[in-house]
Amino acid sequence: MIALNQLLRPHILSLTPYSSARDEYTGSVGIFLDANENPFGSASGSGNYSRYPDPHQGAIKQRLAGIKGVRPGQIFLGNGSDEPIDLLVRATCRPGQDSILIMPPTYGMYEVSAGINDVNVIKVPLTPDFQVDTDRVLAAITENTKLIWLCSPNNPSGNRLQDQAIHTILEAADQSLVIVDEAYIDFSDAPSWTTQLDRYPNLVVLQTFSKAWGLAALRLGMCFASEELIHVLNKIKPPYNISAPTQTLALEALDHETDKNEFVQRILAERTWLTNALQTLPSVRLIHPSDANFLLVQFDDAPGTFTHLIDQQVIVRDRSKVVLCEGCLRITVGTRAENEQLMHVLRHKDAPVASADLPLGTGEEAQRPEAVSNA
Ligand SMILES: *Cc1c(COP(=O)(O)O)cnc(C)c1O
């Protein structure tokens, strides 16, 4: 059993949260003169947003609980996954004293959140095949290590982490929170770690609406954990952290889970297509196996390829300076037209003369007006 009074920062344990107007009266009928809202409407041109949203997102949690097979009280929703990542650090880590443990190469936000909060970061790199170095991880944990971050499927390598390693860490580090970030779980055929929540009170699972659900612009992240821990996150979150439009659209999306599943199937088919296409390029040295919606690809000249792609307005992520990703670019799987365009530009770099005659801009236009991603 994890001791929350050891895990949490003492002042968080004793904190009295802000009580919002909509905490103190939760009915939906009546004349609402309690929250200093505008009774006439919104200066937005269209739509009415004059009322504060449900601070606890009850409708989404009810619906999500059924879909995910958890209890509503085991769900926290955040303004992106960024919010639970930050709240977990702030709830548990005393600045200048406590630490988190990460396994590079991995998602950058864990370290950034620790940095913002002046919290030490212990780094135990993954093995060269991007698996957990379990003995080293266990040896690196101290009594001040509050959070252990695992990302599976991992960003930027794309692979799942072995179940056994995660079980071992969950059992050994029973006074730390072990967080499994499953941002890419929909693209993998493995079951979610949410099935293990009742077995491990120190387990936290993160998922997101930003990838398979196609709702990155809404900023909505899911965090699943014990009811006790979710209660703490609710105490320290900004009262109305999920906007009303986001709640409405997320609830709608949950009625269209089959659309999400169809997107996943299309992306997986494109991932196979892109893998096969990349394999034909002489400049491609290695395509790492992927359980996600992107490929980590090693090129003969990654920085040169990256610049060449940018020149042709194809934007990928340069990971060539990242530990264990030397020479690699991370490429998100696009539509067929986008993937063909990517291949066209890459072929042109490998053999400028041979493919120079091929027309650019085959097929449908890219669907995104701005191809910008900070993930
Ligand atoms: C994209 C991504 C997320 C999602 O972040 P949001 O803030 O929910 O958009 C979380 N974790 C990892 C590893 C990711 O790659």
Side-chain angles (χ1 to χ4, degrees):
M1 196 60 209
I2 188 162
L4 275 191
N5 58 349
Q6 294 294 312
L7 180 77
L8 299 175
R9 292 163 74 190
H11 73 283
I12 296 287
L13 201 60
S14 57
L15 183 88
T16 307
Y18 175 74
S19 180
S20 73
R22 295 298 134 81
D23 278 318
E24 286 167 11
Y25 180 79
T26 55
S28 59
V29 284
I31 298 171
F32 287 93
L33 305 176
D34 59 342
N36 300 348
E37 297 150 334
N38 182 331
F40 296 109
S42 312
S44 64
S46 67
N48 190 345
Y49 306 101
S50 64
R51 299 294 174 184
Y52 280 102
D54 175 2
H56 303 295
Q57 311 97 27
I60 306 179
K61 286 180 184 173
Q62 200 63 44
R63 190 85 180 79
L64 202 53
I67 290 174
K68 299 288 180 184
V70 301
R71 297 181 291 281
Q74 291 175 302
I75 305 173
F76 173 85
L77 295 172
N79 183 359
S81 306
D82 303 330
E83 185 170 27
I85 290 171
D86 178 68
L87 290 180
L88 285 164
V89 174
R90 284 198 283 148
T92 60
C93 296
R94 290 163 295 180
Q97 199 174 341
D98 290 324
S99 59
I100 67 160
L101 190 151
I102 64 169
M103 298 168 215
T106 194
Y107 188 48
M109 275 310 291
Y110 316 140
E111 184 169 7
V112 170
S113 260
I116 291 169
N117 292 292
D118 188 23
V119 164
N120 299 325
V121 179
I122 302 171
K123 295 182 188 177
V124 182
L126 296 171
T127 59
D129 60 348
F130 300 122
Q131 288 299 330
V132 177
D133 197 335
T134 313
D135 292 342
R136 287 225 172 108
V137 168
L138 296 186
I141 297 167
T142 75
E143 60 174 17
N144 289 337
T145 308
K146 297 299 177 75
L147 306 178
I148 300 169
W149 292 95
L150 295 153
C151 187
S152 181
N154 185 44
N155 179 2
S157 57
N159 62 295
R160 290 174 48 210
L161 302 178
Q162 280 161 2
D163 288 350
Q164 190 48 55
I166 301 179
H167 281 293
T168 303
I169 293 171
L170 278 162
E171 267 152 37
D174 64 351
Q175 297 309 309
S176 313
L177 293 180
V178 177
I179 303 129
V180 183
D181 185 343
E182 294 185 334
Y184 300 98
I185 186 73
D186 300 275
F187 307 104
S188 151
D189 44 26
S192 167
W193 279 85
T194 51
T195 57
Q196 305 295 307
L197 283 173
D198 286 333
R199 173 167 171 200
Y200 296 114
N202 57 333
L203 171 63
V204 179
V205 179
L206 297 186
Q207 294 183 10
T208 180
F209 283 89
S210 296
K211 308 287 157 68
W213 291 91
L215 296 170
L218 294 189
R219 311 305 304 127
L220 190 59
M222 300 167 253
C223 174
F224 306 95
S226 70
E227 269 115 334
E228 291 76 12
L229 188 66
I230 296 300
H231 176 71
V232 173
L233 297 180
N234 281 332
K235 271 204 333 187
I236 63 176
K237 79 181 180 73
Y240 302 108
N241 60 327
I242 309 295
S243 77
T246 296
Q247 293 195 39
T248 304
L249 291 168
L251 204 53
E252 264 175 52
L254 290 174
D255 282 335
H256 294 86
E257 201 189 358
T258 50
D259 289 355
K260 184 265 287 178
N261 294 336
E262 270 169 40
F263 284 136
V264 168
Q265 288 314 312
R266 285 168 71 185
I267 290 166
L268 294 183
E270 287 306 316
R271 187 178 75 192
T272 303
W273 185 92
L274 186 58
T275 306
N276 292 335
L278 286 166
Q279 256 156 8
T280 65
L281 293 180
S283 62
V284 167
R285 286 195 193 162
L286 180 65
I287 305 167
H288 290 280
S290 174
D291 287 299
N293 63 342
F294 57 84
L295 296 170
L296 186 70
V297 184
Q298 193 183 41
F299 289 87
D300 285 338
D301 172 19
T305 303
F306 179 73
T307 324
H308 175 74
L309 286 168
I310 294 263
D311 286 345
Q312 302 298 318
Q313 297 180 332
V314 178
I315 326 299
V316 300
R317 198 85 148 107
D318 185 0
R319 302 282 77 179
S320 62
K321 309 284 182 298
V322 172
V323 62
L324 294 175
C325 300
E326 291 79 9
C328 288
L329 303 180
R330 195 195 69 192
I331 305 176
T332 305
V333 175
T335 63
R336 178 62 57 86
E338 291 172 331
N339 299 334
E340 277 173 351
Q341 185 69 14
L342 165 79
M343 287 306 302
H344 177 73
V345 174
L346 287 174
R347 272 191 211 102
H348 188 257
K349 177 164 195 296
D350 277 10
V353 184
S355 66
D357 306 333
L358 288 174
L360 272 133
T362 53
E364 66 192 80
E365 285 302 312
Q367 285 167 0
R368 290 178 294 181
E370 304 161 51
V372 181
S373 170
N374 64 358

